[in-house]
Structure formats: C-alpha cells, structure tokens
PDB file of all heavy atoms in Angstrom:
ATOM      1  N   CYS A   1      47.006 -12.603  48.739  1.00 97.00           N
ATOM      2  CA  CYS A   1      47.278 -11.270  49.311  1.00 97.00           C
ATOM      3  C   CYS A   1      46.456 -10.201  48.596  1.00 97.00           C
ATOM      4  O   CYS A   1      45.801  -9.370  49.232  1.00 97.00           O
ATOM      5  CB  CYS A   1      48.760 -10.930  49.196  1.00 97.00           C
ATOM      6  SG  CYS A   1      49.871 -11.937  50.167  1.00 97.00           S
ATOM      7  N   ARG A   2      46.510 -10.225  47.260  1.00 97.00           N
ATOM      8  CA  ARG A   2      45.776  -9.229  46.467  1.00 97.00           C
ATOM      9  C   ARG A   2      44.273  -9.319  46.708  1.00 97.00           C
ATOM     10  O   ARG A   2      43.606  -8.294  46.851  1.00 97.00           O
ATOM     11  CB  ARG A   2      46.041  -9.431  44.975  1.00 97.00           C
ATOM     12  CG  ARG A   2      47.383  -8.985  44.524  1.00 97.00           C
ATOM     13  CD  ARG A   2      47.500  -9.123  42.999  1.00 97.00           C
ATOM     14  NE  ARG A   2      48.837  -9.524  42.669  1.00 97.00           N
ATOM     15  CZ  ARG A   2      49.184 -10.685  42.142  1.00 97.00           C
ATOM     16  NH1 ARG A   2      48.276 -11.580  41.828  1.00 97.00           N
ATOM     17  NH2 ARG A   2      50.440 -10.956  41.902  1.00 97.00           N
ATOM     18  N   GLU A   3      43.737 -10.532  46.742  1.00 95.00           N
ATOM     19  CA  GLU A   3      42.308 -10.735  46.932  1.00 95.00           C
ATOM     20  C   GLU A   3      41.839 -10.108  48.250  1.00 95.00           C
ATOM     21  O   GLU A   3      40.850  -9.380  48.291  1.00 95.00           O
ATOM     22  CB  GLU A   3      41.995 -12.240  46.933  1.00 95.00           C
ATOM     23  CG  GLU A   3      40.569 -12.583  47.228  1.00 95.00           C
ATOM     24  CD  GLU A   3      39.630 -12.399  46.052  1.00 95.00           C
ATOM     25  OE1 GLU A   3      40.111 -12.225  44.917  1.00 95.00           O
ATOM     26  OE2 GLU A   3      38.412 -12.427  46.276  1.00 95.00           O
ATOM     27  N   HIS A   4      42.567 -10.376  49.305  1.00 95.00           N
ATOM     28  CA  HIS A   4      42.191  -9.799  50.608  1.00 95.00           C
ATOM     29  C   HIS A   4      42.340  -8.282  50.597  1.00 95.00           C
ATOM     30  O   HIS A   4      41.481  -7.565  51.114  1.00 95.00           O
ATOM     31  CB  HIS A   4      43.030 -10.398  51.738  1.00 95.00           C
ATOM     32  CG  HIS A   4      42.777 -11.848  51.965  1.00 95.00           C
ATOM     33  ND1 HIS A   4      41.518 -12.391  52.068  1.00 95.00           N
ATOM     34  CD2 HIS A   4      43.638 -12.883  52.094  1.00 95.00           C
ATOM     35  CE1 HIS A   4      41.616 -13.688  52.278  1.00 95.00           C
ATOM     36  NE2 HIS A   4      42.894 -14.018  52.287  1.00 95.00           N
ATOM     37  N   TYR A   5      43.418  -7.803  49.995  1.00 95.00           N
ATOM     38  CA  TYR A   5      43.650  -6.356  49.978  1.00 95.00           C
ATOM     39  C   TYR A   5      42.520  -5.636  49.234  1.00 95.00           C
ATOM     40  O   TYR A   5      41.960  -4.663  49.731  1.00 95.00           O
ATOM     41  CB  TYR A   5      44.998  -6.033  49.334  1.00 95.00           C
ATOM     42  CG  TYR A   5      45.283  -4.558  49.329  1.00 95.00           C
ATOM     43  CD1 TYR A   5      45.761  -3.929  50.472  1.00 95.00           C
ATOM     44  CD2 TYR A   5      45.042  -3.780  48.208  1.00 95.00           C
ATOM     45  CE1 TYR A   5      45.998  -2.562  50.490  1.00 95.00           C
ATOM     46  CE2 TYR A   5      45.280  -2.415  48.215  1.00 95.00           C
ATOM     47  CZ  TYR A   5      45.756  -1.808  49.360  1.00 95.00           C
ATOM     48  OH  TYR A   5      45.972  -0.450  49.379  1.00 95.00           O
ATOM     49  N   TYR A   6      42.190  -6.104  48.053  1.00 95.00           N
ATOM     50  CA  TYR A   6      41.182  -5.416  47.242  1.00 95.00           C
ATOM     51  C   TYR A   6      39.750  -5.627  47.733  1.00 95.00           C
ATOM     52  O   TYR A   6      38.842  -4.947  47.281  1.00 95.00           O
ATOM     53  CB  TYR A   6      41.330  -5.789  45.764  1.00 95.00           C
ATOM     54  CG  TYR A   6      42.614  -5.228  45.195  1.00 95.00           C
ATOM     55  CD1 TYR A   6      43.631  -6.058  44.745  1.00 95.00           C
ATOM     56  CD2 TYR A   6      42.832  -3.855  45.160  1.00 95.00           C
ATOM     57  CE1 TYR A   6      44.819  -5.532  44.257  1.00 95.00           C
ATOM     58  CE2 TYR A   6      44.015  -3.322  44.674  1.00 95.00           C
ATOM     59  CZ  TYR A   6      45.002  -4.166  44.224  1.00 95.00           C
ATOM     60  OH  TYR A   6      46.184  -3.643  43.748  1.00 95.00           O
ATOM     61  N   ARG A   7      39.580  -6.540  48.680  1.00 94.00           N
ATOM     62  CA  ARG A   7      38.273  -6.724  49.312  1.00 94.00           C
ATOM     63  C   ARG A   7      38.244  -6.105  50.715  1.00 94.00           C
ATOM     64  O   ARG A   7      37.339  -6.367  51.495  1.00 94.00           O
ATOM     65  CB  ARG A   7      37.895  -8.192  49.363  1.00 94.00           C
ATOM     66  CG  ARG A   7      37.628  -8.767  47.993  1.00 94.00           C
ATOM     67  CD  ARG A   7      37.059 -10.164  48.090  1.00 94.00           C
ATOM     68  NE  ARG A   7      36.846 -10.726  46.777  1.00 94.00           N
ATOM     69  CZ  ARG A   7      35.689 -10.658  46.120  1.00 94.00           C
ATOM     70  NH1 ARG A   7      34.669 -10.051  46.642  1.00 94.00           N
ATOM     71  NH2 ARG A   7      35.578 -11.208  44.933  1.00 94.00           N
ATOM     72  N   TYR A   8      39.259  -5.303  51.017  1.00 95.00           N
ATOM     73  CA  TYR A   8      39.356  -4.562  52.282  1.00 95.00           C
ATOM     74  C   TYR A   8      39.409  -5.477  53.501  1.00 95.00           C
ATOM     75  O   TYR A   8      38.969  -5.111  54.578  1.00 95.00           O
ATOM     76  CB  TYR A   8      38.202  -3.555  52.426  1.00 95.00           C
ATOM     77  CG  TYR A   8      38.027  -2.674  51.225  1.00 95.00           C
ATOM     78  CD1 TYR A   8      36.933  -2.828  50.380  1.00 95.00           C
ATOM     79  CD2 TYR A   8      38.968  -1.706  50.906  1.00 95.00           C
ATOM     80  CE1 TYR A   8      36.774  -2.035  49.262  1.00 95.00           C
ATOM     81  CE2 TYR A   8      38.822  -0.905  49.788  1.00 95.00           C
ATOM     82  CZ  TYR A   8      37.723  -1.071  48.970  1.00 95.00           C
ATOM     83  OH  TYR A   8      37.571  -0.287  47.859  1.00 95.00           O
ATOM     84  N   ARG A   9      39.981  -6.660  53.334  1.00 95.00           N
ATOM     85  CA  ARG A   9      40.155  -7.589  54.455  1.00 95.00           C
ATOM     86  C   ARG A   9      41.605  -7.466  54.921  1.00 95.00           C
ATOM     87  O   ARG A   9      42.456  -8.300  54.613  1.00 95.00           O
ATOM     88  CB  ARG A   9      39.806  -9.008  54.020  1.00 95.00           C
ATOM     89  CG  ARG A   9      38.338  -9.139  53.623  1.00 95.00           C
ATOM     90  CD  ARG A   9      37.924 -10.564  53.341  1.00 95.00           C
ATOM     91  NE  ARG A   9      38.570 -11.115  52.161  1.00 95.00           N
ATOM     92  CZ  ARG A   9      37.940 -11.783  51.202  1.00 95.00           C
ATOM     93  NH1 ARG A   9      36.642 -11.977  51.283  1.00 95.00           N
ATOM     94  NH2 ARG A   9      38.597 -12.253  50.172  1.00 95.00           N
ATOM     95  N   TRP A  10      41.855  -6.365  55.629  1.00 94.00           N
ATOM     96  CA  TRP A  10      43.234  -5.985  55.976  1.00 94.00           C
ATOM     97  C   TRP A  10      43.939  -7.055  56.797  1.00 94.00           C
ATOM     98  O   TRP A  10      45.086  -7.393  56.514  1.00 94.00           O
ATOM     99  CB  TRP A  10      43.257  -4.654  56.711  1.00 94.00           C
ATOM    100  CG  TRP A  10      42.430  -3.580  56.078  1.00 94.00           C
ATOM    101  CD1 TRP A  10      41.428  -2.861  56.675  1.00 94.00           C
ATOM    102  CD2 TRP A  10      42.489  -3.084  54.734  1.00 94.00           C
ATOM    103  NE1 TRP A  10      40.886  -1.969  55.788  1.00 94.00           N
ATOM    104  CE2 TRP A  10      41.503  -2.082  54.594  1.00 94.00           C
ATOM    105  CE3 TRP A  10      43.271  -3.403  53.627  1.00 94.00           C
ATOM    106  CZ2 TRP A  10      41.293  -1.390  53.414  1.00 94.00           C
ATOM    107  CZ3 TRP A  10      43.057  -2.723  52.432  1.00 94.00           C
ATOM    108  CH2 TRP A  10      42.084  -1.726  52.344  1.00 94.00           C
ATOM    109  N   SER A  11      43.292  -7.567  57.847  1.00 95.00           N
ATOM    110  CA  SER A  11      43.991  -8.531  58.718  1.00 95.00           C
ATOM    111  C   SER A  11      44.317  -9.819  57.958  1.00 95.00           C
ATOM    112  O   SER A  11      45.392 -10.407  58.163  1.00 95.00           O
ATOM    113  CB  SER A  11      43.176  -8.831  59.973  1.00 95.00           C
ATOM    114  OG  SER A  11      41.954  -9.441  59.647  1.00 95.00           O
ATOM    115  N   LEU A  12      43.420 -10.271  57.088  1.00 95.00           N
ATOM    116  CA  LEU A  12      43.720 -11.463  56.291  1.00 95.00           C
ATOM    117  C   LEU A  12      44.838 -11.193  55.293  1.00 95.00           C
ATOM    118  O   LEU A  12      45.659 -12.069  55.017  1.00 95.00           O
ATOM    119  CB  LEU A  12      42.463 -11.950  55.562  1.00 95.00           C
ATOM    120  CG  LEU A  12      41.409 -12.625  56.438  1.00 95.00           C
ATOM    121  CD1 LEU A  12      40.156 -12.922  55.625  1.00 95.00           C
ATOM    122  CD2 LEU A  12      41.950 -13.891  57.071  1.00 95.00           C
ATOM    123  N   CYS A  13      44.890  -9.985  54.770  1.00 96.00           N
ATOM    124  CA  CYS A  13      45.975  -9.627  53.859  1.00 96.00           C
ATOM    125  C   CYS A  13      47.315  -9.665  54.592  1.00 96.00           C
ATOM    126  O   CYS A  13      48.297 -10.187  54.075  1.00 96.00           O
ATOM    127  CB  CYS A  13      45.743  -8.250  53.243  1.00 96.00           C
ATOM    128  SG  CYS A  13      47.041  -7.780  52.070  1.00 96.00           S
ATOM    129  N   VAL A  14      47.344  -9.128  55.805  1.00 96.00           N
ATOM    130  CA  VAL A  14      48.585  -9.139  56.586  1.00 96.00           C
ATOM    131  C   VAL A  14      49.012 -10.581  56.868  1.00 96.00           C
ATOM    132  O   VAL A  14      50.186 -10.934  56.718  1.00 96.00           O
ATOM    133  CB  VAL A  14      48.429  -8.331  57.893  1.00 96.00           C
ATOM    134  CG1 VAL A  14      49.635  -8.519  58.803  1.00 96.00           C
ATOM    135  CG2 VAL A  14      48.232  -6.848  57.580  1.00 96.00           C
ATOM    136  N   GLN A  15      48.063 -11.429  57.241  1.00 96.00           N
ATOM    137  CA  GLN A  15      48.385 -12.838  57.492  1.00 96.00           C
ATOM    138  C   GLN A  15      48.942 -13.505  56.236  1.00 96.00           C
ATOM    139  O   GLN A  15      49.956 -14.213  56.299  1.00 96.00           O
ATOM    140  CB  GLN A  15      47.137 -13.605  57.927  1.00 96.00           C
ATOM    141  CG  GLN A  15      46.646 -13.308  59.302  1.00 96.00           C
ATOM    142  CD  GLN A  15      45.340 -14.048  59.572  1.00 96.00           C
ATOM    143  OE1 GLN A  15      44.967 -14.980  58.856  1.00 96.00           O
ATOM    144  NE2 GLN A  15      44.637 -13.625  60.600  1.00 96.00           N
ATOM    145  N   ALA A  16      48.266 -13.300  55.110  1.00 96.00           N
ATOM    146  CA  ALA A  16      48.712 -13.907  53.855  1.00 96.00           C
ATOM    147  C   ALA A  16      50.086 -13.387  53.454  1.00 96.00           C
ATOM    148  O   ALA A  16      50.939 -14.148  52.991  1.00 96.00           O
ATOM    149  CB  ALA A  16      47.700 -13.638  52.749  1.00 96.00           C
ATOM    150  N   ALA A  17      50.301 -12.099  53.632  1.00 97.00           N
ATOM    151  CA  ALA A  17      51.606 -11.516  53.296  1.00 97.00           C
ATOM    152  C   ALA A  17      52.700 -12.067  54.204  1.00 97.00           C
ATOM    153  O   ALA A  17      53.808 -12.363  53.746  1.00 97.00           O
ATOM    154  CB  ALA A  17      51.544  -9.996  53.388  1.00 97.00           C
ATOM    155  N   ASP A  18      52.387 -12.220  55.492  1.00 96.00           N
ATOM    156  CA  ASP A  18      53.369 -12.797  56.417  1.00 96.00           C
ATOM    157  C   ASP A  18      53.757 -14.210  55.991  1.00 96.00           C
ATOM    158  O   ASP A  18      54.932 -14.571  56.003  1.00 96.00           O
ATOM    159  CB  ASP A  18      52.830 -12.809  57.850  1.00 96.00           C
ATOM    160  CG  ASP A  18      52.848 -11.438  58.501  1.00 96.00           C
ATOM    161  OD1 ASP A  18      53.564 -10.532  58.006  1.00 96.00           O
ATOM    162  OD2 ASP A  18      52.141 -11.264  59.513  1.00 96.00           O
ATOM    163  N   LEU A  19      52.754 -15.009  55.620  1.00 96.00           N
ATOM    164  CA  LEU A  19      53.037 -16.371  55.148  1.00 96.00           C
ATOM    165  C   LEU A  19      53.882 -16.347  53.878  1.00 96.00           C
ATOM    166  O   LEU A  19      54.826 -17.119  53.724  1.00 96.00           O
ATOM    167  CB  LEU A  19      51.731 -17.126  54.897  1.00 96.00           C
ATOM    168  CG  LEU A  19      50.947 -17.539  56.132  1.00 96.00           C
ATOM    169  CD1 LEU A  19      49.568 -18.073  55.736  1.00 96.00           C
ATOM    170  CD2 LEU A  19      51.711 -18.576  56.931  1.00 96.00           C
ATOM    171  N   THR A  20      53.533 -15.461  52.963  1.00 97.00           N
ATOM    172  CA  THR A  20      54.290 -15.342  51.716  1.00 97.00           C
ATOM    173  C   THR A  20      55.732 -14.950  52.002  1.00 97.00           C
ATOM    174  O   THR A  20      56.673 -15.543  51.461  1.00 97.00           O
ATOM    175  CB  THR A  20      53.633 -14.295  50.786  1.00 97.00           C
ATOM    176  OG1 THR A  20      52.284 -14.685  50.524  1.00 97.00           O
ATOM    177  CG2 THR A  20      54.394 -14.161  49.476  1.00 97.00           C
ATOM    178  N   LEU A  21      55.914 -13.975  52.873  1.00 96.00           N
ATOM    179  CA  LEU A  21      57.266 -13.495  53.175  1.00 96.00           C
ATOM    180  C   LEU A  21      58.076 -14.536  53.951  1.00 96.00           C
ATOM    181  O   LEU A  21      59.300 -14.577  53.825  1.00 96.00           O
ATOM    182  CB  LEU A  21      57.185 -12.178  53.946  1.00 96.00           C
ATOM    183  CG  LEU A  21      56.684 -11.000  53.105  1.00 96.00           C
ATOM    184  CD1 LEU A  21      56.304  -9.828  53.994  1.00 96.00           C
ATOM    185  CD2 LEU A  21      57.727 -10.600  52.077  1.00 96.00           C
ATOM    186  N   ARG A  22      57.408 -15.375  54.724  1.00 96.00           N
ATOM    187  CA  ARG A  22      58.117 -16.448  55.417  1.00 96.00           C
ATOM    188  C   ARG A  22      58.640 -17.480  54.417  1.00 96.00           C
ATOM    189  O   ARG A  22      59.749 -17.973  54.554  1.00 96.00           O
ATOM    190  CB  ARG A  22      57.186 -17.135  56.423  1.00 96.00           C
ATOM    191  CG  ARG A  22      57.745 -17.067  57.818  1.00 96.00           C
ATOM    192  CD  ARG A  22      56.856 -17.714  58.852  1.00 96.00           C
ATOM    193  NE  ARG A  22      55.872 -16.720  59.281  1.00 96.00           N
ATOM    194  CZ  ARG A  22      54.581 -16.942  59.430  1.00 96.00           C
ATOM    195  NH1 ARG A  22      54.068 -18.124  59.228  1.00 96.00           N
ATOM    196  NH2 ARG A  22      53.778 -15.989  59.829  1.00 96.00           N
ATOM    197  N   ARG A  23      57.798 -17.791  53.428  1.00 95.00           N
ATOM    198  CA  ARG A  23      58.204 -18.789  52.428  1.00 95.00           C
ATOM    199  C   ARG A  23      59.197 -18.216  51.419  1.00 95.00           C
ATOM    200  O   ARG A  23      60.110 -18.892  50.979  1.00 95.00           O
ATOM    201  CB  ARG A  23      56.985 -19.303  51.677  1.00 95.00           C
ATOM    202  CG  ARG A  23      56.181 -20.312  52.438  1.00 95.00           C
ATOM    203  CD  ARG A  23      55.157 -20.998  51.531  1.00 95.00           C
ATOM    204  NE  ARG A  23      54.385 -21.941  52.288  1.00 95.00           N
ATOM    205  CZ  ARG A  23      53.121 -21.752  52.662  1.00 95.00           C
ATOM    206  NH1 ARG A  23      52.491 -20.649  52.334  1.00 95.00           N
ATOM    207  NH2 ARG A  23      52.493 -22.673  53.353  1.00 95.00           N
ATOM    208  N   TRP A  24      58.944 -16.977  50.998  1.00 96.00           N
ATOM    209  CA  TRP A  24      59.775 -16.337  49.971  1.00 96.00           C
ATOM    210  C   TRP A  24      60.202 -14.952  50.462  1.00 96.00           C
ATOM    211  O   TRP A  24      59.620 -13.930  50.078  1.00 96.00           O
ATOM    212  CB  TRP A  24      58.996 -16.222  48.654  1.00 96.00           C
ATOM    213  CG  TRP A  24      58.524 -17.556  48.176  1.00 96.00           C
ATOM    214  CD1 TRP A  24      59.271 -18.501  47.535  1.00 96.00           C
ATOM    215  CD2 TRP A  24      57.220 -18.108  48.323  1.00 96.00           C
ATOM    216  NE1 TRP A  24      58.490 -19.598  47.271  1.00 96.00           N
ATOM    217  CE2 TRP A  24      57.241 -19.390  47.741  1.00 96.00           C
ATOM    218  CE3 TRP A  24      56.029 -17.647  48.894  1.00 96.00           C
ATOM    219  CZ2 TRP A  24      56.117 -20.217  47.728  1.00 96.00           C
ATOM    220  CZ3 TRP A  24      54.916 -18.470  48.868  1.00 96.00           C
ATOM    221  CH2 TRP A  24      54.960 -19.738  48.295  1.00 96.00           C
ATOM    222  N   PRO A  25      61.220 -14.891  51.327  1.00 95.00           N
ATOM    223  CA  PRO A  25      61.666 -13.603  51.864  1.00 95.00           C
ATOM    224  C   PRO A  25      62.024 -12.633  50.735  1.00 95.00           C
ATOM    225  O   PRO A  25      62.536 -13.032  49.699  1.00 95.00           O
ATOM    226  CB  PRO A  25      62.913 -13.965  52.683  1.00 95.00           C
ATOM    227  CG  PRO A  25      62.754 -15.422  52.985  1.00 95.00           C
ATOM    228  CD  PRO A  25      62.013 -16.011  51.809  1.00 95.00           C
ATOM    229  N   GLY A  26      61.706 -11.388  50.966  1.00 93.00           N
ATOM    230  CA  GLY A  26      62.048 -10.363  49.987  1.00 93.00           C
ATOM    231  C   GLY A  26      61.038 -10.199  48.865  1.00 93.00           C
ATOM    232  O   GLY A  26      61.318  -9.494  47.903  1.00 93.00           O
ATOM    233  N   THR A  27      59.877 -10.844  48.965  1.00 95.00           N
ATOM    234  CA  THR A  27      58.851 -10.694  47.938  1.00 95.00           C
ATOM    235  C   THR A  27      58.259  -9.294  48.056  1.00 95.00           C
ATOM    236  O   THR A  27      57.484  -9.011  48.964  1.00 95.00           O
ATOM    237  CB  THR A  27      57.758 -11.771  48.082  1.00 95.00           C
ATOM    238  OG1 THR A  27      58.383 -13.056  48.070  1.00 95.00           O
ATOM    239  CG2 THR A  27      56.748 -11.682  46.969  1.00 95.00           C
ATOM    240  N   ALA A  28      58.649  -8.414  47.143  1.00 94.00           N
ATOM    241  CA  ALA A  28      58.316  -6.989  47.254  1.00 94.00           C
ATOM    242  C   ALA A  28      56.812  -6.730  47.260  1.00 94.00           C
ATOM    243  O   ALA A  28      56.331  -5.913  48.048  1.00 94.00           O
ATOM    244  CB  ALA A  28      58.982  -6.217  46.128  1.00 94.00           C
ATOM    245  N   GLU A  29      56.062  -7.415  46.405  1.00 96.00           N
ATOM    246  CA  GLU A  29      54.626  -7.151  46.342  1.00 96.00           C
ATOM    247  C   GLU A  29      53.939  -7.520  47.654  1.00 96.00           C
ATOM    248  O   GLU A  29      53.093  -6.777  48.147  1.00 96.00           O
ATOM    249  CB  GLU A  29      53.968  -7.908  45.188  1.00 96.00           C
ATOM    250  CG  GLU A  29      52.494  -7.583  45.070  1.00 96.00           C
ATOM    251  CD  GLU A  29      51.784  -8.272  43.921  1.00 96.00           C
ATOM    252  OE1 GLU A  29      52.421  -9.024  43.171  1.00 96.00           O
ATOM    253  OE2 GLU A  29      50.577  -8.040  43.785  1.00 96.00           O
ATOM    254  N   ALA A  30      54.314  -8.639  48.247  1.00 96.00           N
ATOM    255  CA  ALA A  30      53.721  -9.037  49.525  1.00 96.00           C
ATOM    256  C   ALA A  30      54.063  -8.020  50.607  1.00 96.00           C
ATOM    257  O   ALA A  30      53.204  -7.657  51.423  1.00 96.00           O
ATOM    258  CB  ALA A  30      54.200 -10.427  49.927  1.00 96.00           C
ATOM    259  N   ALA A  31      55.288  -7.542  50.604  1.00 94.00           N
ATOM    260  CA  ALA A  31      55.700  -6.542  51.608  1.00 94.00           C
ATOM    261  C   ALA A  31      54.912  -5.245  51.438  1.00 94.00           C
ATOM    262  O   ALA A  31      54.483  -4.632  52.426  1.00 94.00           O
ATOM    263  CB  ALA A  31      57.200  -6.282  51.501  1.00 94.00           C
ATOM    264  N   ARG A  32      54.707  -4.816  50.184  1.00 93.00           N
ATOM    265  CA  ARG A  32      53.932  -3.591  49.938  1.00 93.00           C
ATOM    266  C   ARG A  32      52.483  -3.750  50.374  1.00 93.00           C
ATOM    267  O   ARG A  32      51.922  -2.873  51.041  1.00 93.00           O
ATOM    268  CB  ARG A  32      53.971  -3.222  48.460  1.00 93.00           C
ATOM    269  CG  ARG A  32      55.213  -2.486  48.022  1.00 93.00           C
ATOM    270  CD  ARG A  32      55.067  -1.886  46.624  1.00 93.00           C
ATOM    271  NE  ARG A  32      54.630  -2.842  45.620  1.00 93.00           N
ATOM    272  CZ  ARG A  32      55.449  -3.631  44.917  1.00 93.00           C
ATOM    273  NH1 ARG A  32      56.745  -3.567  45.117  1.00 93.00           N
ATOM    274  NH2 ARG A  32      54.971  -4.465  44.015  1.00 93.00           N
ATOM    275  N   LEU A  33      51.848  -4.873  50.005  1.00 95.00           N
ATOM    276  CA  LEU A  33      50.460  -5.088  50.389  1.00 95.00           C
ATOM    277  C   LEU A  33      50.313  -5.189  51.904  1.00 95.00           C
ATOM    278  O   LEU A  33      49.351  -4.689  52.480  1.00 95.00           O
ATOM    279  CB  LEU A  33      49.913  -6.353  49.715  1.00 95.00           C
ATOM    280  CG  LEU A  33      49.698  -6.243  48.211  1.00 95.00           C
ATOM    281  CD1 LEU A  33      49.410  -7.608  47.609  1.00 95.00           C
ATOM    282  CD2 LEU A  33      48.581  -5.259  47.888  1.00 95.00           C
ATOM    283  N   ARG A  34      51.293  -5.801  52.554  1.00 95.00           N
ATOM    284  CA  ARG A  34      51.280  -5.900  54.012  1.00 95.00           C
ATOM    285  C   ARG A  34      51.352  -4.510  54.644  1.00 95.00           C
ATOM    286  O   ARG A  34      50.564  -4.162  55.522  1.00 95.00           O
ATOM    287  CB  ARG A  34      52.449  -6.754  54.486  1.00 95.00           C
ATOM    288  CG  ARG A  34      52.481  -6.972  55.976  1.00 95.00           C
ATOM    289  CD  ARG A  34      53.739  -7.753  56.375  1.00 95.00           C
ATOM    290  NE  ARG A  34      53.712  -8.076  57.773  1.00 95.00           N
ATOM    291  CZ  ARG A  34      53.966  -7.212  58.747  1.00 95.00           C
ATOM    292  NH1 ARG A  34      54.266  -5.959  58.464  1.00 95.00           N
ATOM    293  NH2 ARG A  34      53.914  -7.574  60.013  1.00 95.00           N
ATOM    294  N   ALA A  35      52.293  -3.703  54.183  1.00 94.00           N
ATOM    295  CA  ALA A  35      52.450  -2.351  54.736  1.00 94.00           C
ATOM    296  C   ALA A  35      51.208  -1.506  54.481  1.00 94.00           C
ATOM    297  O   ALA A  35      50.750  -0.779  55.378  1.00 94.00           O
ATOM    298  CB  ALA A  35      53.683  -1.678  54.131  1.00 94.00           C
TER     299      ALA A  35
END
C-alpha cells in the first residue's frame, strides 16, 4: 500500500488497501492510504 501511495499509483494503492482490509478488517493505515 505504502509503495503504491508514495509512487503516486493511486489505483494500485486502492486495490492493495482493499485486499488488506478484506484480510484484516479495521487496519487503520490501509484505510487512511485508501482514502
């Protein structure tokens, strides 16, 4: 998630965050990076 975010790959960051949140609901960092 961080790698995509800091490389300005927004859609890949959203995808990665969605996967993270599906596996580990409530992961605050993934939710913030997604938003």
Side-chain angles (χ1 to χ4, degrees):
C1 294
R2 286 185 216 113
E3 175 79 13
H4 294 312
Y5 181 80
Y6 292 116
R7 292 188 182 266
Y8 310 109
R9 296 187 293 227
W10 313 124
S11 63
L12 287 174
C13 182
V14 171
Q15 288 175 16
D18 285 342
L19 288 171
T20 302
L21 290 166
R22 238 179 275 135
R23 282 192 181 106
W24 303 281
T27 305
E29 183 178 0
R32 279 192 308 273
L33 289 169
R34 183 184 186 284

